[in-house]
Amino acid sequence: NDSGAVCPEALGGIREVDINLNIAALVRQNLLNLGYEVDLLAEFDSRLNGYQATALISIHADSCEYYEGATGFKVAAAKSTFYPEQAGRLTNCLQTRYAGITNLQLHPNTITVDMTDYHAFSEIYSLTPAAIIEVGFMNLDRQILTQQPDLIAEGITSGILCYIRNEDVNLLPTQIP
């Protein structure tokens, strides 16, 4: 029901919703190919109410506004989780694997309450670990977001696998076959 951020025509007119959906579909396919069961949910999906899963990842792209140094990604754990250590581990896996695969830098100084208290986090089952990832800024990271969504999806997939497989977050990222 909302396209999210939209870049001006001079920057291709790209829409956040298109970036997010493309990446989410690629992550889903990566995990399905590995034999995992994966649900792709809309932002206001009725299935979010009481949703139970190994993990919930909410995928977003950041603003198309130009800000000096506005490049990179950010990840935040759900504040409302029953087991904050699990959500923290999920966040750490996503951060390390995503950075290692995409070569984008973590941009932690712009994590907001809108991320940690994202509406979907209060709707899901309290034992489902959840995290939100802003995959990059639609202005300065536009090229990787639009031309290499498979790389972005591989970074997220690797982070999810790190969490599921209980991998050491300090080791090299999981390579997706």
Side-chain angles (χ1 to χ4, degrees):
N1 67 345
D2 181 0
S3 65
V6 179
C7 292
E9 285 302 318
L11 295 175
I14 57 174
R15 301 180 325 153
E16 179 185 6
V17 67
D18 299 325
I19 291 171
N20 299 346
L21 182 57
N22 188 28
I23 292 167
L26 290 167
V27 169
R28 180 179 184 269
Q29 192 58 57
N30 288 345
L31 292 168
L32 287 172
N33 291 345
L34 294 170
Y36 292 96
E37 184 179 325
V38 182
D39 295 318
L40 183 59
L41 306 172
E43 181 178 8
F44 295 101
D45 200 303
S46 62
R47 295 176 292 170
L48 283 167
N49 293 321
Y51 186 74
Q52 295 182 39
T54 301
L56 176 90
I57 312 298
S58 186
I59 299 172
H60 299 263
D62 218 319
S63 172
C64 199
E65 296 291 321
Y66 176 80
Y67 299 106
E68 184 73 30
T71 181
F73 72 99
K74 48 194 167 187
V75 181
K79 191 170 160 182
S80 62
T81 187
F82 191 75
Y83 291 113
E85 64 280 358
Q86 287 183 359
R89 176 165 170 59
L90 176 60
T91 300
N92 287 337
C93 278
L94 284 168
Q95 284 178 359
T96 59
R97 299 315 195 251
Y98 189 80
I101 289 173
T102 65
N103 289 320
L104 289 171
Q105 298 295 309
L106 183 63
H107 196 270
N109 297 336
T110 55
I111 292 175
T112 66
V113 70
D114 290 336
M115 292 179 70
T116 58
D117 287 342
Y118 184 61
H119 74 87
F121 297 160
S122 64
E123 297 173 33
I124 63 174
Y125 183 58
S126 63
L127 299 181
T128 298
I132 186 169
I133 183 167
E134 295 271 359
V135 293
F137 288 83
M138 290 171 51
N139 188 315
L140 296 179
D141 299 320
R142 177 175 68 262
Q143 185 172 3
I144 192 171
L145 295 176
T146 60
Q147 296 178 17
Q148 295 182 288
D150 53 329
L151 187 66
I152 300 294
E154 183 181 339
I156 295 170
T157 303
S158 183
I160 294 168
L161 292 174
C162 166
Y163 176 76
I164 291 171
R165 296 173 177 168
N166 202 29
E167 295 175 356
D168 184 337
V169 293
N170 298 311
L171 297 178
L172 294 175
T174 301
Q175 295 302 308
I176 308 304

